[in-house]
Amino acid sequence: MTDSSKFSRREVVTGLAATAGAFLMPSAARATEAAKVSTAARGAAGAVGTAYAPKIYTAHEYATVRALVDEVIPKDAKSGSATDAGVPEFMDTMLDLEPNMRVAHRGGLAWLDHECRRRYAKDFVTCTTAERHAVLDDIAYPAKAKPEFAAGVNWFNSFRDFTATGFFTSEMGVTDIGYMGNTPVMNWDGCPPENYTRLGTQKP
């Protein structure tokens, strides 16, 4: 574990309050780097039959992140879940590369547990699905959220963006959106006729 694991609960909650819940998102270059590093680490762990060992998250935080990212991007008929895509490993790697993200991000995880305990006397990971959704419904929709949940709303917006960044920089996410990359075209017959029709013009 790094020194970041020594943050106290008071420190992370204070950090959440200082940033109003939001945390900076990684640049595209940093996200690409994190995706490569985390994919390699995940593969190395899998090759020897072990699970990925978080560098930054505590075991409890890591379990919370794994549960929460799958609430944001669950498995569907088209692709796997955020956890299947390696998003928790991506986030942990990103926090390792970008220390300035840690306090607000981890403070939000602490806030989520605090809110769950206030309502149900349980941490987020031990809440039922219905209990989790009741809490998330209060912070997932900014236009409808009550003012007292403003910090939670800001944090969850950042967390949701972070999850999407991790998912869509993974191989699974790239496949999910149908990105084909630099695919060679063996025969070029010009713009398809249907595109001229859609634009209201004709092929010259």
Side-chain angles (χ1 to χ4, degrees):
M1 289 289 183
T2 69
D3 287 342
S4 64
S5 65
K6 298 176 182 176
F7 285 131
S8 69
R9 182 62 55 91
R10 180 184 296 274
E11 287 172 326
V12 291
V13 172
T14 299
L16 178 68
T19 60
F23 52 90
L24 294 175
M25 295 302 299
S27 67
R30 207 57 155 167
T32 300
E33 179 184 1
K36 290 179 179 176
V37 172
S38 63
T39 298
R42 191 183 189 206
V48 295
T50 60
Y52 174 85
K55 298 175 184 176
I56 303 302
Y57 291 127
T58 65
H60 177 74
E61 288 173 335
Y62 193 57
T64 303
V65 166
R66 289 177 62 84
L68 189 54
V69 295
D70 282 352
E71 294 288 351
V72 176
I73 302 181
K75 182 178 181 179
D76 62 16
K78 190 175 180 182
S79 68
S81 68
T83 294
D84 294 331
V87 172
E89 293 89 336
F90 167 85
M91 288 182 167
D92 183 65
T93 302
M94 196 72 247
L95 295 181
D96 187 33
L97 295 173
E98 295 286 351
N100 290 337
M101 295 178 66
R102 295 176 191 168
V103 172
H105 174 79
R106 298 174 73 200
L109 295 173
W111 177 89
L112 189 63
D113 271 344
H114 172 79
E115 184 63 21
C116 288
R117 284 195 295 271
R118 185 181 70 81
R119 299 187 191 191
Y120 309 115
K122 305 173 187 175
D123 290 335
F124 181 79
V125 292
T126 52
C127 281
T128 65
T129 299
E131 290 166 346
R132 291 180 182 182
H133 289 181
V135 174
L136 295 179
D137 283 348
D138 282 339
I139 59 176
Y141 306 100
K144 299 192 303 182
K146 296 178 181 177
E148 59 263 37
F149 294 124
V153 169
N154 289 336
W155 176 80
F156 188 72
N157 280 343
S158 295
F159 187 91
R160 181 165 42 203
D161 291 346
F162 200 13
T163 301
T165 300
F167 185 81
F168 290 109
T169 53
S170 72
E171 181 178 352
M172 183 179 292
V174 170
T175 302
D176 184 80
I177 60 175
Y179 178 68
M180 299 175 65
N182 296 321
T183 303
V185 177
M186 303 309 293
N187 296 301
W188 172 245
D189 298 323
C191 183
E194 58 269 26
N195 288 348
Y196 285 108
T197 301
R198 189 174 70 247
L199 294 172
T201 185
Q202 295 181 335
K203 187 174 183 178

